Amino acid sequence: MISPPRAPSLSIENVDIAHNLRVVRRAINDAAVHAGRNPLDVRLIAVSKTVPRGTVEAAFRAGQTDFGENTVQEALSKFPSLHDLGLTGHFIGYLQTNKAKFIPGHFSWVHSIDRLPLAQKLSRACEGTDARLDTLVQVNVTRDPNKRGVAPESTFELIEQLMAANLTHISLRGLMTLGPYHGDERILHDCFARLRALREECAQRFALPQFTELSMGMTDDFPIAIAEGATMVRIGTAIFGERAYKTLRD
Ligand SMILES: *Cc1c(COP(=O)(O)O)cnc(C)c1O
């Protein structure tokens, strides 16, 4: 691959981001190859929450196009300047229904569908535009009371409701989960394998050929998630560093 010429004014911080991205991409590649998978089937989403806009731009210049944010407000302050250049926005946090109207135009993906009214609002927000949102149902695989998402056994019911609601501007693309924070490897494998099995069941049961995506894996557990079939990994800390960045906010 031919890399674009480096701008001479890159700060140390920018060089670090490019370096971190290379390290993360290599780790993704290795994990995929190790699992007998095509590395191109794993999309890296750089989670840029709390990261200042200039740093997001540095990551974009280093070739990163998919970014994840967990609040609407923050994304609106960072994404617009990069949107025309080809940034793909992923909404990965809890979304209040009354914020749904801000999603089209800033985000292409919403990973956190957990109730029908939210999906209805999102679809309506896209009406009159040519926007169409790719969405994932968030599942609380481990039933952690501190995490959002539908219980595994409620997933079919929610998808049934979403399909019956005839949401013209919403595509159902797969499932998302957060692994247990302090789980040992066996527990992480088990959590991600259960999401994979659930996705397969959903795709079959509802005859959804596009229901192919598994958004799972973060800085501490992405190789395990890739081994279990992740098609999207959401990585923040390994790219941008600890969120002490907060103090450097633009
Ligand atoms: C912050 C966040 C991530 C990234 O976590 P890291 O451990 O920093 O890689 C991934 N997914 C969600 C939903 C997040 O909120």
Side-chain angles (χ1 to χ4, degrees):
M1 200 179 93
I2 300 166
S3 37
R6 276 266 171 85
S9 62
L10 278 184
S11 70
I12 293 296
E13 183 186 318
N14 294 352
V15 171
D16 282 346
I17 297 297
H19 170 79
N20 291 349
L21 273 168
R22 275 197 301 276
V23 170
V24 168
R25 288 194 192 116
R26 195 172 309 135
I28 290 172
N29 195 82
D30 291 351
V33 168
H34 188 74
R37 301 184 52 206
N38 183 346
L40 296 176
D41 291 340
V42 183
R43 186 195 298 225
L44 170 59
I45 298 166
V47 176
S48 49
K49 67 188 183 201
T50 78
V51 172
R53 190 177 60 213
T55 309
V56 176
E57 286 167 359
F60 187 82
R61 282 197 302 274
Q64 179 61 30
T65 53
D66 288 77
F67 290 88
E69 288 282 344
N70 65 351
T71 68
V72 167
Q73 209 178 349
E74 229 189 295
L76 297 196
S77 75
K78 293 183 211 170
F79 283 2
S81 57
L82 292 171
H83 217 273
D84 294 342
L85 299 174
L87 170 146
T88 300
H90 296 254
F91 193 86
I92 62 169
Y94 173 69
L95 183 56
Q96 288 171 267
T97 306
N98 66 6
K99 298 261 173 73
K101 57 179 178 285
F102 298 113
I103 294 294
H106 294 98
F107 293 94
S108 308
W109 289 80
V110 176
H111 292 227
S112 47
I113 301 293
D114 59 358
R115 58 201 190 278
L116 177 63
L118 172 61
Q120 288 172 316
K121 268 278 164 57
L122 284 169
S123 187
R124 230 169 283 147
C126 295
E127 281 172 15
T129 75
D130 53 10
R132 199 181 160 84
L133 290 171
D134 286 308
T135 64
L136 307 175
V137 170
Q138 181 172 353
V139 182
N140 189 351
V141 174
T142 54
R143 295 165 217 277
D144 181 338
N146 298 313
K147 288 191 183 123
R148 298 199 177 257
V150 291
E153 68 274 13
S154 306
T155 308
F156 292 158
E157 191 187 332
L158 177 58
I159 292 176
E160 234 161 57
Q161 291 174 357
L162 293 167
M163 290 181 72
N166 205 3
L167 305 169
T168 51
H169 290 67
I170 298 283
S171 299
L172 300 175
R173 297 300 312 280
L175 301 176
M176 177 271 222
T177 202
L178 287 130
Y181 294 130
H182 303 293
D184 64 26
E185 282 200 15
R186 191 184 49 78
I187 292 172
L188 287 163
H189 272 285
D190 182 64
C191 170
F192 296 140
R194 277 155 68 195
L195 195 73
R196 182 187 60 205
L198 190 56
R199 183 206 67 75
E200 278 163 20
E201 281 181 70
C202 291
Q204 273 185 13
R205 187 187 183 109
F206 299 105
L208 289 169
Q210 304 284 357
F211 204 78
T212 53
E213 304 297 324
L214 282 173
S215 169
M216 55 191 198
M218 309 178 13
T219 292
D220 288 338
D221 56 18
F222 72 88
I224 295 173
I226 290 170
E228 295 297 346
T231 62
M232 296 176 159
V233 290
R234 311 176 308 266
I235 299 180
T237 307
I239 297 170
F240 297 111
E242 295 293 336
R243 294 197 175 75
Y245 273 107
K246 253 193 161 91
T247 54
L248 300 175
R249 191 183 287 268
D250 279 1

